[in-house]
C-alpha cells in the first residue's frame, strides 16, 4: 500500500505542475492588471494545439515546438491585451467575465474549424521516453521531467519578480499604478509584458502536456476550473499561494482517483470550501 501511495503522490506532483503553470499566469494577470481572465484556459489549449502541430504533425524537434508555441500564444496575448483587455481595466468584474467568456467560445470554435473536433495525442519525445524505478514500480521519466521543470519555472518567476529591477517595477505598478506612472513607469508597456508572460505560462503548460495529455477542444475550460480553485485556496494574485495551491489540488486529485475515484473532484471543492470559511482571502493573502 505504501508504494501505491508514494507512486500516486508523484503522479499528483506532475499533475500539480501543469496546474501551477496555468494558475501562475492567471494569478499574475489578476494581481498586476486586476483582470479575472476566464479565457486563460483557452491560451493553455492554444499552446497545446500549436505544439501538437509543430511536433506531432510536422515532426519538428519537441523543444523547438514548445518554444514556437510560446511565441505564437505570446503574440495572441499581446493582441488581446492591446485591443481588448486594455479597454476593460476600469470596468467591474462582471464585464471582464462576459468578455473573457466570449473569447472561450471563439477560441473553442476556432480550434474546431482548424484542427477538427477529434482528440489527438503524439508520442513522448524519444529522449524522455522511458521509466524510472520508484520503490520497485516504473515511474514515467517524462513525469519526473515535468516535476523538475515546474519547480524550475517557480524559481525563475521568484527571481524575476523579487530580484530584478523589472520585477520591482511590476510590483510597484500592481501596488499603485498611478504613483508608478507619476515616477515614469510606462504602465501600458508593463501591463502588456505581464499579460504576454502570463499567456506564455499558460501555453507552456499546454505544450508540455501534449505528449501525455489529450489535445482536444475544451481542454482549457476543464483546466481553468481547477486553476480558479487553486487561486482561491492560495489567495488571488499571490504566486506563492498559486504554487502551494497547485500542489494541494494536484496531490489531492491523484489520491482521490486512487482512493475515492467517484469523488476526486468533490474532495478539492471541499478543501476550497473549508479555506473560504476559515480564511476567505486565501491561505497566503496579505
Amino acid at each position: 500500500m505504501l508504494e501505491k501511495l508514494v507512486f500516486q503522490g508523484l503522479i499528483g506532483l506532475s499533475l500539480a505542475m501543469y496546474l501551477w503553470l496555468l494558475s501562475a499566469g492567471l494569478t499574475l494577470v489578476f494581481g498586476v492588471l486586476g483582470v479575472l481572465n476566464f479565457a486563460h484556459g483557452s491560451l493553455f489549449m492554444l499552446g497545446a494545439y500549436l505544439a501538437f502541430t509543430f511536433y506531432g504533425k510536422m515532426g519538428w524537434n519537441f523543444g523547438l515546438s514548445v518554444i514556437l508555441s510560446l511565441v505564437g500564444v505570446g503574440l495572441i496575448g499581446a493582441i488581446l491585451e492591446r485591443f481588448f483587455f486594455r479597454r476593460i481595466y476600469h470596468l467591474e468584474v462582471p464585464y471582464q467575465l462576459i468578455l473573457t467568456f466570449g473569447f472561450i467560445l471563439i477560441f473553442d470554435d476556432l480550434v474546431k474549424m482548424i484542427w477538427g473536433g477529434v482528440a489527438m495525442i503524439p508520442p513522448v519525445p524519444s529522449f524522455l521516453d522511458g521509466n524510472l524505478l520508484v520503490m520497485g514500480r516504473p515511474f514515467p521519466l517524462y513525469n519526473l521531467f515535468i516535476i523538475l521543470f515546474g519547480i524550475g519555472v517557480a524559481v525563475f518567476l521568484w527571481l524575476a519578480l523579487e530580484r530584478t529591477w523589472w520585477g520591482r517595477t511590476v510590483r510597484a505598478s500592481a501596488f499603485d499604478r498611478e504613483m508608478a506612472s507619476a515616477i515614469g513607469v510606462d504602465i501600458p508597456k508593463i501591463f502588456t509584458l505581464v499579460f504576454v508572460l502570463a499567456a506564455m505560462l499558460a501555453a507552456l503548460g499546454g505544450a508540455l502536456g501534449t505528449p501525455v495529455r489529450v489535445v482536444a477542444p475544451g481542454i482549457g475550460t476543464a483546466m481553468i476550473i481547477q486553476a480558479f480553485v487553486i487561486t482561491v485556496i492560495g489567495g488571488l494574485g499571490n504566486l506563492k499561494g498559486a504554487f502551494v495551491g497547485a500542489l494541494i489540488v494536484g496531490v489531492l486529485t491523484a489520491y482521490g482517483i486512487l482512493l475515492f475515484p467517484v469523488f476526486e473532484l468533490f474532495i478539492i471543492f471541499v478543501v476550497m470550501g473549508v479555506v473560504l470559511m476559515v480564511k476567505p482571502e486565501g491561505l497566503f493573502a496579505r
Side-chain angles (χ1 to χ4, degrees):
M1 188 62 184
L2 178 60
E3 69 179 52
K4 280 186 180 178
L5 293 176
V6 172
F7 186 83
Q8 201 67 12
L10 290 173
I11 294 292
L13 283 179
S14 60
L15 171 61
M17 292 304 120
Y18 295 113
L19 295 170
W20 149 243
L21 293 173
L22 183 63
S23 54
L26 183 69
T27 205
L28 259 181
V29 168
F30 183 80
V32 179
L33 280 63
V35 172
L36 204 54
N37 183 13
F38 205 61
H40 196 66
S42 297
L43 301 174
F44 174 93
M45 177 183 67
L46 289 176
Y49 269 103
L50 287 177
F52 170 79
T53 301
F54 297 129
Y55 171 64
K57 287 283 188 184
M58 302 172 74
W60 292 3
N61 175 273
F62 179 67
L64 177 63
S65 302
V66 171
I67 292 171
L68 290 176
S69 71
L70 299 193
V71 173
V73 175
L75 287 174
I76 293 171
I79 293 170
L80 290 177
E81 195 280 336
R82 176 64 184 81
F83 296 103
F84 298 96
F85 284 82
R86 191 174 292 186
R87 301 173 186 274
I88 62 168
Y89 289 152
H90 62 287
L91 298 180
E92 299 293 329
V93 169
Y95 294 99
Q96 299 173 4
L97 291 178
I98 291 171
L99 176 67
T100 55
F101 186 72
F103 278 121
I104 292 175
L105 301 178
I106 292 170
F107 284 129
D108 274 359
D109 284 345
L110 194 62
V111 298
K112 287 176 187 172
M113 290 168 61
I114 298 175
W115 287 281
V118 180
M120 301 171 285
I121 181 168
V124 175
S126 57
F127 68 98
L128 290 171
D129 192 12
N131 296 299
L132 184 72
L133 284 180
V134 176
M135 299 184 73
R137 294 189 61 174
F139 182 72
L141 196 57
Y142 192 83
N143 286 31
L144 180 63
F145 164 73
I146 292 298
I147 294 171
L148 296 177
F149 196 92
I151 294 172
V153 170
V155 173
F156 168 77
L157 285 177
W158 179 78
L159 289 174
L161 291 172
E162 299 290 337
R163 293 289 185 268
T164 66
W165 176 255
W166 182 79
R168 294 188 188 98
T169 306
V170 169
R171 285 187 284 126
S173 304
F175 182 72
D176 191 333
R177 64 184 68 175
E178 285 78 15
M179 183 62 74
S181 179
I183 61 173
V185 175
D186 188 344
I187 297 295
K189 184 179 177 181
I190 289 291
F191 279 16
T192 301
L193 289 175
V194 169
F195 196 92
V196 168
L197 174 62
M200 293 174 79
L201 284 170
L204 183 60
L208 289 177
T210 306
V212 292
R213 302 170 67 91
V214 169
V215 180
I219 56 171
T221 306
M223 293 291 286
I224 198 66
I225 293 172
Q226 288 181 300
F228 269 111
V229 173
I230 287 166
T231 53
V232 169
I233 292 174
L236 281 169
N238 189 300
L239 274 178
K240 188 192 298 181
F243 186 75
V244 175
L247 292 178
I248 293 172
V249 170
V251 172
L252 282 181
T253 301
Y255 282 130
I257 293 171
L258 175 68
L259 302 173
F260 312 102
V262 181
F263 303 106
E264 89 271 7
L265 282 178
F266 175 74
I267 295 171
I268 63 172
F269 283 108
V270 167
V271 173
M272 184 182 73
V274 171
V275 170
L276 284 174
M277 286 190 292
V278 176
K279 195 173 181 184
E281 66 274 23
L283 296 176
F284 289 85
R286 296 173 182 172

